[in-house]
Amino acid sequence: MELESLSVVVSKPMYTAEISDGPCAYSLFICEQLNTAFSDLYEASLADKKDLIHSADLARIEGDLAALLANAPAATRVYLLGTEKYIWLVGQQLKALGVTEEQMEMLPPLSAERSVFCCHCYQVTDQVFTAPARCVGCGKLLAVTDHFAKAHGAYFGYQVNAEDATDIPASVELS
Amino acid sequence: MRVAPKEVETFRDDFTYSNSPEAIKRFPFPFPEDEYRYSVNMEPHTPKGGEGSAYEHFLDIDEHYLSEMAERKLVLDEMPHRCLAMEHMELACWDMLERLMTSLAQDYSDYFKLTIEGDQWTWENKLLNIHDTFTFGDSSTLPQSPLEYIGCQVQGDFALLDQRDGDLFLDAGMITCPADWSLAFDAGMSFKEWHGPVPMAHNEGIFERALKYLTAMQVGSPIRRLNWTLTVNARMDTSPETYHEWGHERTSVTPENVGEKVYLRVEMQVMDRMPRSNALMFIIRTYLISLEDLATNPEWARRMHRTMKTLPAPLIEYKGLSRYHSMVVDYLAQFDPAN
């Protein structure tokens, strides 16, 4: 067995730029930031009906989704673009409205940044690019793992030097 | 019950927890062979080992009952989020309450009594001086949620897994003595997601097989398996939430104290299908034994030495044993004539 394959954490989401754009009755495009590629995808969609939500405001999106999906047909596809946390938190809202993960097309996140859940104080620290990372809630220095929770849109973090206070690993860039 | 509950001992601070000679004798030793390897190792949860065995009843109430219930209360007082149930799990929680109450009343009638008159249930727990009458299915008639109410009266952690789309979801639980995993973080995850960090087993297809087996389970045919790790000091609550408080103990092991300081931590995991909700109840009953107590059984000591010696590096790392694993192997070597 190769060591590399041993370290793969299967809860870490994988994304592909290959978008399945088969015929469907309703296509919903949701993005945190609108870029040309996503705009083109929307324009090119051949769905009978389509909508585009461009907003970073999760509360607003939740309200919009309830209205837009109230009478959505079974053949609905939802396209999501944003930070990793954004697409999964919107994904949670969609699931609550009956949209399955198979109906969602999540595009690769716009940046390598991670959101990190602190297992000690339960706060989520956003815009983490390097590990270890300082928790915004309790200030502990957190190891950033690949264990991902869709419900939090965040990776699991724990105090990196809890066993030996002086043992702090060098900072590494996350991918 | 053959081993009566003793007075409250502690799993933190001064660590007064200890095993009587009877408790050592009945310890569920987890290694079936000399070399360590992964296996699903599930078997029907039926009695074995005879009178007084840890496998005698559906639930094992032992001499640590009062201590574990006191420890659970300490955890929940400080961190109420360690018990949670999503809205759609209400029925599963009542299923669990029924299953636990009926089996306790049947197997330990000296201590527990259940009287059912229609939907009016009366529950008596003589060990904790509890005597309540409530309406089955109506949470407002209980002093706590059904999960917390019954969970605080039975040893072990509890998870309730919702079954849908051929998968199991971690949608409710009371987790106060986990081997380093967080219910708050893992809540809502699918079977493979919450096992995400486990090394090696994913490649070997173990989770596919386990999930297939578990989703096919029927009411009335519970199964069990043993899982294990090592814990420094007799600490029940080795949760990530409190890791910053206990992590440093891993650096406190020395060749001189390893026998008394390092504990084999065994989880007897029992899975049982719930009749109304179709949820799976997952009981994680934790047992702790110091290496020096374990070594009073020469066969266990020899086998544990061989198992520890052949433990693959990714598992040493995953189980958090890196800092003291070699001291454990060296200590156990004295009990293995092959050395």
Side-chain angles (χ1 to χ4, degrees):
Chain A
M1 265 176 290
E2 292 168 25
L3 265 177
E4 200 172 320
S5 67
L6 294 177
S7 64
V8 170
V9 172
V10 300
S11 54
K12 186 177 194 298
M14 309 277 268
Y15 306 93
T16 165
E18 297 284 310
I19 290 302
S20 109
D21 189 23
C24 64
Y26 179 49
S27 284
L28 177 56
F29 294 78
I30 308 171
C31 64
E32 193 172 15
Q33 291 164 263
L34 186 59
N35 62 18
T36 321
F38 201 67
S39 172
D40 289 351
L41 198 63
Y42 171 71
E43 295 299 336
S45 169
L46 299 172
D48 302 341
K49 183 176 180 300
K50 57 186 174 181
D51 285 302
L52 174 68
I53 301 176
H54 171 201
S55 171
D57 181 347
L58 290 170
R60 202 200 111 188
I61 293 170
E62 193 163 26
D64 288 354
L65 289 180
L68 290 172
L69 293 168
N71 298 303
T76 291
R77 293 204 77 75
V78 185
Y79 299 84
L80 293 155
L81 177 73
T83 58
E84 191 167 39
K85 180 183 178 184
Y86 173 89
I87 60 181
W88 285 104
L89 291 188
V90 175
Q92 291 301 301
Q93 298 180 353
L94 289 164
K95 275 190 213 171
L97 293 166
V99 180
T100 66
E101 245 175 69
E102 290 68 39
Q103 291 176 284
M104 300 179 204
E105 294 285 346
M106 294 180 169
L107 282 87
L110 286 169
S111 84
E113 73 177 82
R114 294 191 185 193
S115 290
V116 179
F117 176 96
C118 172
C119 70
H120 309 293
C121 73
Y122 295 173
Q123 292 295 304
V124 172
T125 303
D126 296 327
Q127 293 187 304
V128 173
F129 289 92
T130 57
R134 187 72 63 189
C135 172
V136 291
C138 63
K140 290 185 178 64
L141 199 54
L142 303 178
V144 179
T145 72
D146 284 341
H147 188 30
F148 185 79
K150 294 170 180 171
H152 301 290
Y155 292 87
F156 188 79
Y158 62 90
Q159 189 182 339
V160 73
N161 59 337
E163 299 188 10
D164 176 353
T166 63
D167 189 2
I168 298 173
S171 179
V172 291
E173 209 160 306
L174 295 164
S175 57
Chain B
M1 186 175 336
R2 317 304 185 261
V3 191
K6 23 179 214 191
E7 282 175 34
V8 172
E9 297 175 332
T10 57
F11 297 97
R12 52 175 77 199
D13 305 322
D14 56 351
F15 296 105
T16 59
Y17 171 87
S18 67
N19 281 301
S20 69
E22 295 75 28
I24 294 172
K25 209 172 146 203
R26 72 197 296 280
F27 192 85
F29 188 72
F31 305 117
E33 55 197 331
D34 279 350
E35 188 169 329
Y36 182 73
R37 64 184 182 92
Y38 249 129
S39 67
V40 178
N41 68 333
M42 295 195 270
E43 63 179 9
H45 186 41
T46 48
K48 76 171 181 186
E51 195 177 295
S53 140
Y55 307 91
E56 185 182 5
H57 298 303
F58 180 71
L59 298 167
D60 183 35
I61 301 296
D62 70 7
E63 66 179 20
H64 305 299
Y65 179 81
L66 296 175
S67 305
E68 288 182 36
M69 295 304 97
E71 165 67 17
R72 166 155 295 155
K73 194 170 176 318
L74 289 176
V75 174
L76 290 174
D77 282 351
E78 203 177 326
M79 289 170 279
H81 291 95
R82 301 282 289 277
C83 175
L84 69 85
M86 295 182 188
E87 244 172 74
H88 63 275
M89 298 305 283
E90 174 81 6
L91 187 60
C93 292
W94 283 102
D95 270 335
M96 167 177 153
L97 177 139
E98 178 188 40
R99 181 67 163 121
L100 299 187
M101 283 186 178
T102 51
S103 84
L104 287 173
Q106 185 185 323
D107 295 333
Y108 303 93
S109 56
D110 288 351
Y111 297 129
F112 306 99
K113 191 177 172 201
L114 178 65
T115 312
I116 300 179
E117 287 170 26
D119 62 0
Q120 292 302 295
W121 290 35
T122 299
W123 172 247
E124 211 178 328
N125 176 338
K126 291 173 192 164
L127 294 172
L128 294 175
N129 296 316
I130 292 170
H131 192 146
D132 287 312
T133 298
F134 57 93
T135 306
F136 187 84
D138 181 353
S139 295
S140 70
T141 61
L142 278 176
Q144 294 150 297
S145 74
L147 171 60
E148 190 169 356
Y149 181 75
I150 192 61
C152 284
Q153 300 183 51
V154 187
Q155 290 167 270
D157 277 349
F158 299 90
L160 287 166
L161 315 180
D162 191 34
Q163 184 161 330
R164 51 184 197 269
D165 308 325
D167 207 337
L168 295 165
F169 294 86
L170 186 52
D171 288 351
M174 172 186 275
I175 306 296
T176 67
C177 51
D180 208 2
W181 64 280
S182 166
L183 176 66
F185 185 73
D186 288 356
M189 285 189 185
S190 70
F191 187 74
K192 277 195 202 160
E193 285 170 359
W194 90 72
H195 286 108
V198 181
M200 298 170 75
H202 289 279
N203 292 359
E204 296 175 20
I206 282 178
F207 291 109
E208 278 84 3
R209 275 182 286 143
L211 182 61
K212 215 170 171 178
Y213 187 97
L214 293 175
T215 50
M217 278 182 61
Q218 302 291 310
V219 174
S221 306
I223 58 153
R224 68 174 167 243
R225 70 180 286 259
L226 297 180
N227 197 13
W228 70 275
T229 187
L230 301 180
T231 296
V232 179
N233 296 327
R235 184 178 290 280
M236 267 289 172
D237 183 22
T238 49
S239 61
E241 280 84 348
T242 55
Y243 171 60
H244 57 293
E245 293 166 11
W246 56 264
H248 69 91
E249 292 173 359
R250 286 177 172 165
T251 62
S252 69
V253 182
T254 66
E256 290 72 38
N257 68 17
V258 57
E260 55 177 308
K261 210 155 182 66
V262 174
Y263 283 72
L264 173 61
R265 179 188 194 97
V266 173
E267 296 178 347
M268 193 193 296
Q269 304 181 343
V270 171
M271 283 139 277
D272 192 25
R273 175 73 62 197
M274 298 290 99
R276 299 178 184 80
S277 59
N278 200 42
L280 263 196
M281 175 170 65
F282 183 17
I283 307 174
I284 308 153
R285 171 76 161 85
T286 294
Y287 297 81
L288 290 166
I289 189 170
S290 67
L291 293 185
E292 67 184 9
D293 279 351
L294 179 134
T296 59
N297 180 328
E299 197 182 320
W300 287 354
R302 191 182 64 238
R303 174 155 286 176
M304 178 128 176
H305 172 246
R306 294 175 188 185
T307 310
M308 290 301 111
K309 216 175 148 179
T310 54
L311 196 61
L315 285 179
I316 294 174
E317 175 68 25
Y318 168 66
K319 289 178 186 279
L321 318 180
S322 307
R323 290 181 194 273
Y324 61 90
H325 172 260
S326 62
M327 283 186 258
V328 168
V329 174
D330 290 347
Y331 171 79
L332 291 170
Q334 63 183 300
F335 307 106
D336 191 345
N339 271 270

